[in-house]
Amino acid sequence: MKSFLKKWKHASTTKNSLLCAGLDPAPHLHGNKQELLEWVKAYIEAVLPHVSAIKYNSCFWIGARHALLPEIAKFIKNLDPDIILIDDSKYRDIGNTNYSAMYLMQQWTQPHAMTIAQFPGNLPETLNTLNKLGIAGIPMAIMSNPEYKFEQNGLVSAAQLRIKNEHLIPRPEHPMLELDDQLTLKYIRDLVQAVEHGAECVGVGASRHNYSKKIKNIIDYAENILFLVPGFGRGQKGNLDSFMKAG
């Protein structure tokens, strides 16, 4: 299987572009199936010459819209066989339930990659499942919403992981805590697990609250893999210049 990284390098070199276009039509627009298809096809034809990837968030394709995805995926690939297609569903379950969702979506649209918002501790399992299906997993290193800072800063075990000394945290003493002696922050643990289990891309939200030393910490562990960076523009107010300076 050709790696996701090689596929992306080929697509980005051919297009001379690092851009990924989101395919997320607003839910209150295009109620008519034919109108929605016409809008989607016009949008794809407009952006395709300028991007190396297209990603759809399945939350915008629930209900009657879901049946349109195979036709849209086929339309995209017929126009550009080298384009990277990303299923941005942020899969977040475990075991056979995860496998079922990923297998069915693979059959439905045949994406090159899927985003993961993993449960604590099951990232290796999820990446291995996707690898067996021939799909690249994209774990979310940092989400875009400001509230996520409390999640990413949670204390988790660093046992049996290659964590740098400066990212190890002494175990706090408290009778309610059941913690290992070696601890780190959750987003550091997730990054290390992602790299060690073959992830070739991680998601890093670009909203302004993320412009901090966290970006540099992510690069420390993931310097040889891709970043999928959503959040630029008016909606989440991400700024490319500020993001690049942070890294």
Side-chain angles (χ1 to χ4, degrees):
M1 179 183 70
K2 188 176 181 180
S3 77
F4 177 73
L5 186 58
K6 289 181 179 178
K7 290 176 183 176
W8 177 84
K9 283 183 177 179
H10 175 73
S12 61
T13 301
T14 302
K15 291 294 191 66
N16 191 29
S17 172
L18 304 178
L19 295 177
C20 173
L23 184 57
D24 306 327
H28 59 280
L29 298 177
H30 319 295
N32 177 278
K33 173 183 174 180
Q34 191 57 40
E35 287 181 3
L36 177 59
L37 275 175
E38 289 175 1
W39 181 90
V40 167
K41 290 180 177 180
Y43 169 78
I44 290 169
E45 288 174 340
V47 302
L48 209 53
H50 311 289
V51 302
S52 55
I54 290 180
K55 73 176 183 70
Y56 61 87
N57 188 318
S58 62
C59 290
F60 290 88
W61 295 93
I62 290 174
R65 286 183 171 190
H66 189 68
L68 302 177
L69 277 178
E71 180 179 347
I72 292 168
K74 185 177 180 180
F75 176 77
I76 293 170
K77 292 174 182 178
N78 284 341
L79 285 180
D80 186 350
D82 294 325
I83 198 76
I84 298 296
L85 186 62
I86 300 173
D87 174 3
D88 185 19
S89 294
K90 300 180 182 69
Y91 291 96
R92 53 197 172 273
D93 219 302
I94 58 175
N96 289 336
T97 309
N98 244 0
Y99 173 81
S100 176
M102 294 168 179
Y103 172 81
L104 291 172
M105 190 53 76
Q106 179 207 38
Q107 301 297 307
W108 199 238
T109 60
Q110 299 179 342
H112 297 97
M114 294 180 177
T115 55
I116 307 166
Q118 65 279 359
F119 276 159
N122 81 321
L123 178 56
E125 172 194 78
T126 305
L127 286 170
N128 290 337
T129 297
L130 284 170
N131 186 54
K132 291 176 183 177
L133 292 171
I135 301 170
I138 304 178
M140 303 308 295
I142 298 180
M143 299 286 282
S144 294
N145 58 308
E147 297 83 3
Y148 188 69
K149 65 183 179 181
F150 300 107
E151 295 295 324
Q152 68 193 18
N153 289 333
L155 293 180
V156 296
S157 173
Q160 299 180 336
L161 293 173
R162 297 172 184 171
I163 305 291
K164 296 182 179 182
N165 288 334
E166 60 264 35
H167 296 147
L168 292 175
I169 299 170
R171 183 169 75 92
E173 296 294 335
H174 193 284
M176 291 183 64
L177 298 176
E178 297 181 9
L179 299 170
D180 290 341
D181 289 333
Q182 285 193 316
L183 302 175
T184 191
L185 298 180
K186 181 181 180 297
Y187 82 98
I188 296 289
R189 187 276 309 272
D190 289 349
L191 272 170
V192 173
Q193 285 188 334
V195 173
E196 290 186 352
H197 287 83
E200 295 183 294
C201 182
V202 294
V204 181
S207 57
R208 289 178 181 172
H209 74 279
N210 285 332
Y211 298 157
S212 67
K213 62 182 180 181
K214 288 185 175 65
I215 302 298
K216 292 184 178 179
N217 289 342
I218 291 170
I219 293 172
D220 282 346
Y221 290 100
E223 60 180 347
N224 294 319
I225 65 177
L226 299 171
F227 285 6
L228 176 65
V229 189
F232 293 123
R234 289 177 295 177
Q236 297 176 9
K237 300 180 180 179
N239 180 277
L240 180 59
D241 289 339
S242 299
F243 186 87
M244 296 300 290
K245 288 176 182 177

